[in-house]
Amino acid sequence: MSVDHIHLRLLRSLLVPLLIFLYTTGPAGAAFAAAEELPARNVLVLHSYQKGFAWTDDQSAGIEERLKDTANPPVIYTEYMDWKRYPTQGNLEHFYETIRFKYQNIHINTIITTDDAALSFAMKYRHELLNDAPIIFSGVNELGVDSLPDKRNMTGVIEKIDASPTIRMAMELNPSLKKVYVVFDNSESGLSTGRMVMDQISSLNPGLALFPMNRLSMEQIKATASALSPDSIILMTTYYSDSTGRIVEFDRFASELGKSSSVPVYHIYDFALNHGAFGGGLISGRMQGQAAAGLAQRILKGEHAGDIPVVTDSNVRKVFDYNELQRFKISPEKLPKGSEVINEPFSFYQTYKVLVLSIVAAFAVLVTFIMVLLFYVQLVRRIRSNLEKSNERFSLATYGSDAVIWDVDMSTMIYYFSDSWYEVLGYARDELNESRGGWRDILHPEDAEQENRLRIQHLEGRSSYYYAEYRMRSKTGEYKWFQARGKVLRNAGGGYIRFAGSMVDVTDRKGYESKLQTSYQELESTYEELTALQDELLEQYNKVVENQALLQISEEKYRLLAYNDVLSGLPNRLSLSEELQRFIEEHSGGHAALFFLDIDNFKYINDSMGHTFGDELLVQVGERLLSLSDGRSKHFRFGGDEFVILFKDVAEAGEVIRYADSLVQSFKEPFQLHAGVVHISASIGVAGYPENGGNAEELLKNADIAMYKAKEAGKGSYMIYGQEMQRYFDERMIIENHLRSAVSNNELSLHYQPLVDTGTGELWGFEALIRWNSPVLGFVSPLSFIRIAEDCRLIVPIGEWVLRAACRFTKDLQNQGYEGYHISVNISVIQLMLDDFTEMVLSVLEDTGLAPEYLELEITESIFMESFEAISSKLEALKERGIGIALDDFGTGYSSLSYLKQLPITTLKIDKSFIDSIDTPDNMSLASSIVTIGHDMGLNVTAEGVETPEQLAFLERTRCDKIQGYYISKPIPEKEVAGWVAGRMAG
């Protein structure tokens, strides 16, 4: 036994009796005895959010620190609602049952709630579950407190969000400050906080320019932050999702933003410290928790909650990060008075100042008792100092490096891993039973045997230290590479005491090594080839010199290929980005317009006339566009039938409109091709720089939206982008997103409109009409969603669903005794263009058991005009199987009678517009002529939109075969059809 250990044992034997005597006879002993006699007091802390959420953990720490710092601390019970991740009624009911079960036999003296959800729960159920205990709230703003319906037996701490102190400090540190970029998300609380903060800044200094960043994605925010000028700052509020809806980890995003930003990033809350925050007047969850706990102490001492005023003082810390101050070259001496600085270089005296002074004071009081023990006290202080330094080095080494510290007690074989291991792999402590060797289960199977061999090799003394590299599976399923190193500690007999070491995440390094190895192999192969070709190159050196001009020509050719479209010779998308960037740099404050041009129905031209014909047409389109140039326009082709024109140096809006008109007019002239003459039109979208975008991608997106709107307006026209279009496009995207799950969620239904045979008066069958009732959007008109479904090709699964459901419905009617009924189903051109359309229709008939002669497919006249050859052959095959083909909306198109004879149809459907106007002689004669034409061609004729007895009488006189319309019946929901048919037969 060493001399130090003997001295320590002697010191312990002298001090322990003395401390026991002082404790039991002095004031502390009396207080302890008195505390034992007091009844147990219980405080229930209800948190709105989950444990591990920085704001909640700070409030919890502040509450516990204050409550435990008393002579007789109460028993603290803590519960988490986890409302941020699970804001559902199911979660609320589960939380209710948990509180009811756990605290049915525990008397709660005081309730402390953090944030709004927990406060609402406590107010609703404290009478039922929690002994009507007084409530102390924390983390609730003034609006939330003012809206409380019942404030009796309640007090608390108001959370005041005030960006003014932070902005004042920012202006003091940066007198040239002109711009403030405010980061907040698009959640309800995020938007309200963002508006509140910007209103406060505007009231404080109207001269500051404010830029909200809630419309940007995470990548766009970081890119913007990296390019900000020195007269700017970023002010970040809470942020948990970006403009695309992606969930954001606040700590990670704040750190990445702080690293990428070229200006200081100020924050509102102090949990952003050590995560990229420069500093500011930060709301402290810990201070709010301490204030709330102070109110709880007053209540536990006998004060009534309703008599205690609500704490309205702002719980704000003026705090700055030393590392960020150094980064932006700001001296701590320039900070406002009373500012707190974190992460300053370590100072032993400043860190342990209170401890040192306390020890000195204690020695002064007890000097008469410890003079003889001075030597031993000095020994204890020396040992303690060494221990503190050792612990300090270990803590700094553990938390200051990326390494994971691991340790194994060889007597119990219990493993320990530092926090870094859990952070890297994403597991919670003890989730894998890792302390009992469960960590081996996540080793990569290919690495486990080698790791075990190297470990045994070191433990048996065959290697001086343990070294291994292996992969471990993270919680996300991704394998990460680790480099582990360690050494075993043995006792005098050679037995194992402890096995400890570190491991480092080398996943990135392994990736680099793999790439480096590949590059090395390629380089080695290249070197061998160069060596083999060296003699040949020497011999051909003179030829290379002679052909230098040819090489330069080839280089220019490659550059043209990289920056120009091969077919038309026009510049491509890469050229547009550089051209626009060059214009922005050379013409600061200038204006330009971007025209996005798309040839209407080009796909059908390509399909029907062939790709050679289409390519020739595209070349001539490019040439015609170039012929309109006045020197200010630059033309680009993006592939397919898309062309883009950059119109520079725009002086006024009229120039853009005139140029757009000239583009539309230019397409009215036919194109003379080798295969013949073709008439086409183009839809054009226009976006202006800089009002509609500051770069090529943004301008292209907005011009594309405008072009799409031009197509919907009737094609062959142009549209200039506006914010209303963006809102329309967003609404269209919302409908498309919900439409994608409409079939799988059973949101679609069919209504059936009867068709009656005018000759017999009997019911011929029904036309199937689709309806969509979205649980989110409500009832959506088919006029709105059918076009969207066709554009995004969702019409394919939806159309098949309609056909299958309608055929199954008709077969079920026939099985119920209503034999002979037919079904008419509308078909989209998108479906008809599919190679397997014919097989799909026949497969549906086979699956549902409906005979082909009871099915009629309705095709609009424009479908045939778009791609006659490809569609006619498919419909002819179906017609030969007995399936009826109806030409819908006849009379509204542009086909001739000679063309009509070529169509594989069995029925003409007269458009409702003709039926509505048969009260005039001219229109009556026209409708009668259509019926006659149909009969002369051997076709059945159906009139739709019959609404009056006069219309019915006229159609019966003209011998129209079938009719449908509101005079017969409105479209009937599927479940009501059988009843309607039975009622009609009975009538």
Side-chain angles (χ1 to χ4, degrees), residues 207-221:
L208 290 176
L210 302 178
F211 300 92
M213 306 182 80
N214 60 309
R215 291 292 183 181
L216 304 182
S217 66
M218 289 186 290
E219 293 75 13
Q220 291 172 329
I221 291 175

Side-chain angles (χ1 to χ4, degrees), residues 404-509:
V404 175
I405 305 301
W406 55 266
D407 174 89
V408 188
D409 187 335
M410 299 300 284
S411 62
T412 62
M413 294 306 294
I414 293 178
Y415 291 81
Y416 163 80
F417 296 92
S418 65
D419 292 343
S420 299
W421 190 75
Y422 299 96
E423 292 175 3
V424 172
L425 294 176
Y427 298 106
R429 193 172 288 278
D430 297 327
E431 181 177 349
L432 301 173
N433 194 25
E434 64 276 4
S435 61
R436 296 291 181 179
W439 62 272
R440 294 181 181 275
D441 296 336
I442 62 173
L443 278 176
H444 196 289
E446 297 177 0
D447 303 335
E449 182 179 350
Q450 181 183 11
E451 188 281 331
N452 188 58
R453 178 176 55 79
L454 294 172
R455 179 184 294 265
I456 293 174
Q457 180 177 324
H458 174 64
L459 293 177
E460 292 178 351
R462 290 184 285 127
S463 62
S464 57
Y465 58 86
Y466 163 71
Y467 178 86
E469 290 186 356
Y470 45 79
R471 289 163 285 183
M472 284 185 168
R473 186 180 67 253
S474 68
K475 193 167 184 176
T476 61
E478 174 191 6
Y479 277 98
K480 292 183 176 293
W481 276 100
F482 286 92
Q483 180 188 84
R485 185 183 179 97
K487 193 171 184 63
V488 68
L489 176 65
R490 305 176 188 271
N491 57 25
Y496 304 138
I497 299 176
R498 186 169 299 280
F499 187 23
S502 65
M503 61 174 66
V504 179
D505 181 0
V506 294
T507 306
D508 292 340
R509 194 204 74 190

